[in-house]
Amino acid sequence: MPGLPAAEGRLTTHVLDTSAGRPAASMEIVLYALDIGGRRELKRTVTNADGRCDEPLLAGEELSIGRYEIAFHAGRYFRESGVALPEPAFLEEVPIRFGIADEGAHYHVPLLISPYGYSTYRGS
């Protein structure tokens, strides 16, 4: 329709600690672009009290078609939360690799995490 702004694509995430039944606050997250040369760091951030990032990982012109990885630093998060983990931890860093095929769409990549398992999906 004329007069309406074009949809702005964005990439967001949030993390829920299923072992504690709450958002995973203060978890470090690193976003990478994946290409022929390997992975290239794009952004490093930490989740807020709601387990979300204060701003999208990518938005607008930053978001482009391609392959990406979000690395969630779960081991550090659990240790700092007071969880006793074996050494080495079963889950230290959780990498989620995914593709973006439409730079005008919203891609939401949530993580449900415990010290011994995780799941993800394309959310809304």
Side-chain angles (χ1 to χ4, degrees):
M1 284 177 92
L4 291 178
E8 182 176 287
R10 66 191 188 283
L11 171 62
T12 58
T13 189
H14 77 273
V15 186
L16 299 175
D17 179 346
T18 58
S19 64
R22 64 178 179 242
S26 300
M27 182 181 288
E28 184 178 15
I29 295 171
V30 184
L31 173 66
Y32 298 95
L34 303 175
D35 53 38
I36 303 267
R39 65 183 198 173
R40 177 174 41 90
E41 185 174 321
L42 298 177
K43 188 170 209 172
R44 187 174 292 260
T45 189
V46 176
T47 57
N48 61 24
D50 195 33
R52 299 177 183 274
C53 300
D54 289 331
E55 58 187 41
L57 295 174
L58 295 174
E61 292 181 9
E62 295 176 319
L63 185 71
S64 60
I65 293 171
R67 294 179 33 232
Y68 295 86
E69 175 182 309
I70 301 175
F72 298 87
H73 290 262
R76 183 180 313 147
Y77 160 78
F78 284 117
R79 283 185 200 91
E80 290 174 357
S81 297
V83 176
L85 298 177
E87 189 56 48
F90 182 69
L91 296 174
E92 189 63 47
E93 181 179 295
V94 176
I96 306 295
R97 290 188 169 187
F98 58 96
I100 291 180
D102 178 359
E103 66 254 330
H106 179 196
Y107 285 79
H108 185 66
V109 182
L111 180 69
L112 307 175
I113 186 84
S114 79
Y116 297 98
Y118 66 91
S119 66
T120 190
Y121 55 93
R122 181 174 175 193
S124 58

